[in-house]
Amino acid sequence: MRNDLKVLYNEVEIAAKVAELAAKINADYRDRDLAIVGVLKGCFIFLADLVRLLDTDCTVDFLGLSSYGRRHATDGVVQITSDLTLPIRGRDVLIVEDIIDTGITMRYLVENLKTRRPKSLAICTLLYRDSGEACMVPVDYAGFTFQDHYVIGYGLDYAGLHRNIPFVGYKPG
Ligand code: IMP
Ligand code: MG
């Protein structure tokens, strides 16, 4: 598969973007009570790279969400498949996501986490697919904005596979 892909963002470009995002987060979260919340499974590589560049104390927790009933199309149904293990009440929560497309998944998550009364809630995504329609949630830290392609690699999957590809790519045609 890897050899059939076109590279959208290579390892060097990704590393530079992650460093850029980390610098902003470091500046914004100095002396705050940062709770990183990663959205499984797609976030795992991005989050691992990002948190190692954070120089502020933080906890790291994960939750599992599923939004794709079928392979490519969002069916609008979002479910928490595994929940956080740490309370977030009163804390400065930063959600870390691999990609935001329609924003349906993220909107659901934001609404859910708000009921747990965090002190603040912000969103960081490596990728943002701009479909021309307004995203359903405001994104505080967005890495790359792109159009059209279904992308895989650097944590992102197609039918559960290809998360281990070190760059972000797509199948042409
Ligand atoms: P949304 O609810 O439409 O914003 O979809 C977001 C979720 O769909 C992401 O968290 C991903 O898990 C998945 N997703 C959307 N686009 C892609 C893609 O291009 N590659 C891999 N997963 C994607
Ligand atoms: Mg995701």
Side-chain angles (χ1 to χ4, degrees):
M1 174 60 132
R2 181 173 312 218
N3 297 327
D4 304 335
L5 294 178
K6 261 198 131 66
V7 177
L8 187 60
Y9 304 112
N10 67 32
E11 286 113 303
V12 174
E13 292 167 319
I14 294 170
K17 186 60 81 178
V18 174
E20 205 181 288
L21 291 168
K24 286 186 191 148
I25 294 165
N26 279 330
D28 293 349
Y29 284 87
R30 189 153 293 134
D31 300 323
R32 289 171 69 188
D33 182 21
L34 179 58
I36 300 279
V37 168
V39 183
L40 294 172
K41 300 171 187 165
C43 78
F44 79 110
I45 295 177
F46 171 45
L47 186 146
D49 285 345
L50 182 74
V51 294
R52 282 180 289 174
L53 298 175
L54 297 184
D55 55 21
T56 179
D57 289 347
C58 63
T59 58
V60 178
D61 202 359
F62 297 94
L63 50 74
L65 283 182
S66 69
S67 57
Y68 275 19
R70 289 157 291 138
R71 275 188 184 159
H72 275 189
T74 298
D75 61 12
V77 179
V78 186
Q79 274 185 316
I80 292 189
T81 53
S82 70
D83 207 346
L84 297 175
T85 59
L86 304 169
I88 56 166
R89 191 186 177 109
R91 304 197 59 205
D92 293 307
V93 172
L94 180 63
I95 301 171
V96 176
E97 174 65 297
D98 53 354
I99 182 167
I100 294 179
D101 182 11
T102 61
I104 289 173
T105 308
M106 191 51 73
R107 189 182 58 173
Y108 171 86
L109 181 58
V110 164
E111 291 310 314
N112 183 291
L113 295 187
K114 269 186 188 164
T115 66
R116 308 183 198 195
R117 314 270 303 274
K119 183 174 180 189
S120 67
L121 188 56
I123 298 168
C124 174
T125 185
L126 178 68
L127 298 157
Y128 173 65
R129 189 188 292 107
D130 182 5
S131 60
E133 283 172 40
C135 184
M136 295 175 93
V137 283
V139 179
D140 304 272
Y141 307 92
F144 301 105
T145 299
F146 67 104
Q147 285 156 349
D148 301 334
H149 308 294
Y150 186 90
V151 290
I152 57 174
Y154 197 71
L156 292 102
D157 75 308
Y158 175 75
L161 295 173
H162 315 306
R163 296 189 194 276
N164 57 312
I165 292 172
F167 57 86
V168 173
Y170 63 93
K171 215 168 170 198

